[in-house]
Amino acid sequence: MGDLKISTLNLTKRYSNSFQLFLMVHSHRVFRGFFIMLLIFHMILLLVPWIEIKIPAWPILKIIFAIGASLWPFPTFDMLSEENLYLRQLLMKTLEISVIMLYTIDLLPKIFIWRQNALWKFVNIVILSQMMFLLPVSIIAYDKVALPSDTMKLRIFSISFCFVIVCEILSIREQKSLRFLQITQRQQEKQRQIKQKIQEFSWCEIVKHDSPDDCWVVIKDKIYDVTQFLQYHPGGNMILDGAGGDCTALWYSYHPSKLIKQDPPQQYLIGKVRDYQQYYSYDDDFYSSIKEEVEELIPRNKWQNDWKLFIKGFLCIIGYLASLYYYINYCTLLSAILLGFFAAQADVNIMHDGNHYAFSSNKTLSFLAGYVLDLTFSTSVVYRRSHNFGHHSCVNHLELDRAFDTTFPYIRLHPLQQRYWYHKYQHLYIWIIYTFVNFTDVFGTFDEMQWFSNFPCRRGYVSKLQVLLQIIVKILWISLTLIYPSIKFSYKVAFGMWFIYNAVHSYNYALYFSVNHWTLEAGVVDNQNINQTNWGKLQIQNSSNFALGSFIWTHLSGGLNYQIEHHLFPQFAHTRLKEIKKTIQQKAQQANIKYFEFPSFLDALISHYQLLKILGSQDKI
């Protein structure tokens, strides 16, 4: 009881008047979900044929309806006068309840708290109340004597109600904006207080604030508390993947050019990072000028939602599910190869765009596209943390790029890494290691979730629900692809096909990424030689493209052959990257920056092989 009093007191303090409190309640996701459910129901109502479909009246239904009728404060009709319940009656009862609930929890509170005079409120309450009391009476009359014209009237009423609900859903967006304005005003007041004394925090303190209830991010050397902004962020919960870490690179790469020229909203500023070390420069106008030209060439609202990508995604999912069914039920060599191939295609064509929020401008659709990686039995949350923050933010940076952590000491990819005697054979055994890439991704999920090395740049929020999801995903993976085939066929057949499927998946996934950054033409950096290099220039210098004129390689690699363009514009659908290639090439040429592309995938693979051979035999290149 004491906790309830404290919660109520805090709510009263936070929302100083009933208007603000109503906006807070009305814009809640549960309230919005209620409206969406009503809309779906009434759309279904329009499609249901008006025939006397009978539903058995079970005893439990009779008890529920009897209790409901005794508690319902409006006139109503008896739904269980016979032994059967008609679908028509159930639909009408739902319609009656939904309309009156809409009146009670939405329209009536609005009239009371809206800033209008008492006469205006009184007139509206009388009119709406009369309408609400007449509705159940009309439905009772309809149930007793229904003419053909009455059926049409009910359908028209349902269409009108759909329109009202759509308007309500749209108005919620406006109310969210008003609520956001209230929060902004409070943050501005908080900012005025903070400006009197800017606090300094160490990284050890910053990384603790990495949850939805307490989310800090670092942009340049400044710390922002974005906890209250999370639900309004256009990119959804992407911020949580970098919560408690350095998000400078993602601030510049994902936001519009007009926004990155400014500082982040100062109402969220709470302090500075003590002894902050900034490796890259963002002040040069090189990257911002590229972004401005690309935004002028293709408006940001057209960067995603490409119909070609949607068709590819649909075909990849169908291919993957069909091959998984084929593998589980037949477990042949062909089924294992197809499963590995389509799993990799789903990853590079759907998952990769989804986790970069490049699949669709709809946050939910991109979020679901990212979770295709979980459908192929890996983990999207780890991928976003290690790839978006641990690779894109610091590509080919020895101390920061996650790729160097996960490959060493088995493979030496940087001149400053220690060279062991066996590295002189790495250009030969690398092809065996690539066979196990998918195994390491899948089995390393929980280790990656607890990974906090190099924390100033990478740390993220992992909920208990995501951990539970991964436990379920891994159990399904082992059960469907190994245990069930072992029982149905034999463990020798199952293990053999299981290995082939994972090997094909690994090769189809790993080789595309390897030839983009680990070649003789792609540059590398480290803490000693970075020297405030422009971040945008590094994305070009440390990446390489391949087979840009090939339709096949563009679609097989999920657009990874346009790696330079992808690193500069990760929010761009990969099926449209070729449209900005010329602009980036011209800008690179004007700035005297090396923009390299291999004529074919084979040429890129040969360069990757040569790099491994040189790094295995020489301390320096």
Side-chain angles (χ1 to χ4, degrees):
M1 189 67 182
D3 293 340
L4 180 61
K5 289 181 178 178
I6 293 172
S7 177
T8 306
L9 180 62
N10 291 336
L11 192 64
T12 305
K13 289 181 177 178
R14 187 177 176 184
Y15 300 97
S16 58
N17 58 54
S18 58
F19 179 72
Q20 293 182 26
L21 182 60
F22 174 76
L23 292 183
M24 184 276 294
V25 174
H26 196 254
S27 62
H28 194 274
R29 62 179 181 273
V30 174
F31 201 84
R32 299 196 305 271
F34 170 74
F35 278 126
I36 293 171
M37 288 177 60
L38 281 183
L39 180 61
I40 292 172
F41 167 77
H42 286 286
M43 293 302 292
I44 295 173
L45 185 66
L46 295 175
L47 303 175
V48 172
W50 287 99
I51 55 178
E52 296 301 305
I53 302 176
K54 295 181 180 180
I55 302 173
W58 297 296
I60 185 66
L61 282 179
K62 294 183 178 181
I63 296 173
I64 293 173
F65 285 135
I67 295 174
S70 63
L71 296 177
W72 191 241
F74 300 97
T76 186
F77 60 93
D78 186 6
M79 296 182 63
L80 294 174
S81 56
E82 302 177 15
E83 289 302 318
N84 293 305
L85 174 67
Y86 290 100
L87 178 62
R88 166 181 55 80
Q89 293 177 316
L90 183 62
L91 293 174
M92 288 192 298
K93 175 58 69 175
T94 309
L95 178 62
E96 173 193 0
I97 294 173
S98 60
V99 172
I100 294 177
M101 289 297 291
L102 175 66
Y103 164 73
T104 306
I105 66 177
D106 181 50
L107 297 179
L108 194 60
K110 276 183 181 175
I111 293 172
F112 276 111
I113 61 95
W114 223 251
R115 296 186 176 97
Q116 297 288 343
N117 58 56
L119 179 61
W120 180 90
K121 293 181 179 182
F122 175 77
V123 171
N124 276 273
I125 290 172
V126 170
I127 294 173
L128 286 173
S129 299
Q130 184 183 23
M131 290 172 59
M132 291 307 105
F133 276 97
L134 284 175
L135 174 66
V137 174
S138 301
I139 291 181
I140 293 172
Y142 175 85
D143 187 56
K144 291 181 178 179
V145 182
L147 300 174
S149 59
D150 294 324
T151 300
M152 182 58 66
K153 290 176 183 177
L154 191 62
R155 289 183 180 276
I156 294 173
F157 179 82
S158 189
I159 294 173
S160 303
F161 192 64
C162 285
F163 176 74
V164 171
I165 295 177
V166 170
C167 292
E168 284 296 320
I169 293 172
L170 294 176
S171 72
I172 287 174
R173 295 177 64 91
E174 298 302 320
Q175 292 161 28
K176 286 182 67 178
S177 300
L178 290 172
R179 181 186 172 197
F180 180 64
L181 179 61
Q182 299 291 336
I183 293 174
T184 301
Q185 291 173 350
R186 290 196 301 271
Q187 289 284 358
Q188 287 173 346
E189 178 60 30
K190 181 180 178 182
Q191 182 62 27
R192 281 193 290 269
Q193 298 173 3
I194 290 174
K195 281 185 177 180
Q196 298 176 1
K197 183 181 178 181
I198 295 292
Q199 291 182 277
E200 287 192 349
F201 298 91
S202 66
W203 276 114
C204 292
E205 172 63 26
I206 295 169
V207 296
K208 297 176 183 178
H209 303 271
D210 64 346
S211 69
D213 300 323
D214 184 15
C215 182
W216 290 9
V217 296
V218 173
I219 299 176
K220 287 194 173 180
D221 62 337
K222 296 182 175 61
I223 307 168
Y224 299 87
D225 183 351
V226 295
T227 308
Q228 294 184 341
F229 177 67
L230 283 175
Q231 60 180 315
Y232 305 105
H233 183 230
N237 289 332
M238 184 179 183
I239 295 179
L240 290 177
D241 295 320
D246 194 333
C247 299
T248 308
L250 278 87
W251 163 259
Y252 281 91
S253 59
Y254 276 87
H255 294 89
S257 56
K258 63 181 180 181
L259 192 60
I260 63 176
K261 288 181 178 180
Q262 312 166 12
D263 287 329
Q266 295 303 292
Q267 63 264 32
Y268 302 114
L269 177 65
I270 61 170
K272 299 181 69 174
V273 182
R274 185 180 301 128
D275 301 323
Y276 181 76
Q277 186 174 6
Q278 181 172 307
Y279 297 105
Y280 312 117
S281 168
Y282 300 94
D283 299 325
D284 191 329
D285 64 352
F286 172 76
Y287 180 58
S288 60
S289 64
I290 291 180
K291 180 166 278 193
E292 286 174 358
E293 286 202 23
V294 169
E295 288 175 345
E296 185 176 349
L297 177 67
I298 303 176
R300 289 184 66 89
N301 60 357
K302 295 183 180 179
W303 287 13
Q304 303 105 340
N305 305 317
D306 187 18
W307 64 270
K308 296 188 291 295
L309 179 56
F310 291 156
I311 292 176
K312 279 182 67 178
F314 176 76
L315 294 177
C316 287
I317 285 293
I318 294 298
Y320 170 69
L321 294 177
S323 59
L324 179 62
Y325 175 83
Y326 181 34
Y327 172 88
I328 292 172
N329 286 279
Y330 298 96
C331 204
T332 62
L333 177 62
L334 178 60
S335 68
I337 293 173
L338 288 175
L339 179 59
F341 172 77
F342 278 108
Q345 287 298 297
D347 287 345
V348 297
N349 282 292
I350 308 173
M351 174 280 297
H352 188 233
D353 282 61
N355 281 319
H356 280 295
Y357 299 88
F359 190 82
S360 170
S361 58
N362 182 283
K363 291 185 292 186
T364 303
L365 189 56
S366 275
F367 181 78
L368 292 175
Y371 265 83
V372 166
L373 189 58
D374 299 80
L375 188 64
T376 59
F377 307 114
S378 190
T379 168
S380 57
V381 63
V382 168
Y383 184 87
R384 290 195 303 271
R385 285 177 55 190
S386 62
H387 183 74
N388 294 6
F389 287 83
H391 171 65
H392 271 255
S393 297
C394 44
V395 59
N396 276 18
H397 190 144
L398 175 61
E399 290 82 3
L400 300 179
D401 193 337
R402 181 61 173 151
F404 292 118
D405 294 336
T406 55
T407 54
F408 189 79
Y410 310 108
I411 309 172
R412 183 173 183 253
L413 295 170
H414 197 287
L416 292 185
Q417 288 178 319
Q418 184 177 350
R419 184 170 64 90
Y420 294 103
W421 64 268
Y422 54 83
H423 284 147
K424 64 182 177 181
Y425 305 110
Q426 69 177 4
H427 61 290
L428 300 176
Y429 65 71
I430 185 64
W431 314 110
I432 300 175
I433 288 180
Y434 282 156
T435 304
F436 296 94
V437 168
N438 193 54
F439 290 98
T440 59
D441 279 351
V442 174
F443 285 113
T445 294
F446 300 103
D447 178 56
E448 286 282 332
M449 281 184 170
Q450 299 301 319
W451 170 65
F452 299 129
S453 65
N454 295 330
F455 63 78
C457 286
R458 301 183 297 281
R459 179 177 171 134
Y461 169 73
V462 178
S463 67
K464 293 179 181 178
L465 181 62
Q466 289 167 329
V467 175
L468 177 62
L469 172 64
Q470 284 310 306
I471 293 173
I472 296 172
V473 165
K474 298 307 178 282
I475 292 173
L476 285 174
W477 178 57
I478 294 294
S479 302
L480 293 176
T481 63
L482 188 58
I483 296 177
Y484 178 75
S486 296
I487 296 172
K488 186 172 183 178
F489 303 100
S490 70
Y491 75 91
K492 291 182 179 180
V493 172
F495 268 89
M497 296 304 104
W498 187 66
F499 178 82
I500 291 173
Y501 135 64
N502 281 285
V504 173
H505 188 178
S506 299
Y507 265 103
N508 273 271
Y509 183 79
L511 289 182
Y512 295 137
F513 288 94
S514 300
V515 300
N516 288 139
H517 301 293
W518 302 335
T519 63
L520 289 172
E521 286 69 22
V524 291
V525 294
D526 57 82
N527 287 351
Q528 305 303 317
N529 69 8
I530 192 68
N531 195 25
Q532 291 292 297
T533 305
N534 180 270
W535 179 85
K537 293 178 181 178
L538 279 178
Q539 302 304 306
I540 299 176
Q541 293 171 340
N542 294 358
S543 307
S544 57
N545 293 344
F546 68 89
L548 297 186
S550 172
F551 174 86
I552 294 176
W553 282 114
T554 297
H555 290 284
L556 281 180
S557 68
L560 292 175
N561 55 335
Y562 288 90
Q563 189 69 192
I564 293 173
E565 289 74 14
H566 168 61
H567 264 259
L568 290 173
F569 296 93
Q571 212 174 358
F572 225 95
H574 77 259
T575 48
R576 302 203 64 179
L577 287 173
K578 63 181 180 180
E579 299 175 35
I580 62 175
K581 167 196 165 188
K582 187 175 181 180
T583 300
I584 295 173
Q585 279 182 320
Q586 291 174 348
K587 283 291 184 180
Q589 186 177 6
Q590 292 170 7
N592 197 26
I593 299 172
K594 180 182 179 182
Y595 176 105
F596 193 86
E597 58 178 286
F598 291 99
S600 66
F601 174 75
L602 180 60
D603 291 316
L605 196 61
I606 291 172
S607 181
H608 174 58
Y609 170 86
Q610 292 172 340
L611 175 71
L612 293 173
K613 189 173 183 179
I614 292 173
L615 286 175
S617 58
Q618 301 176 19
D619 289 332
K620 295 182 179 180
I621 298 180

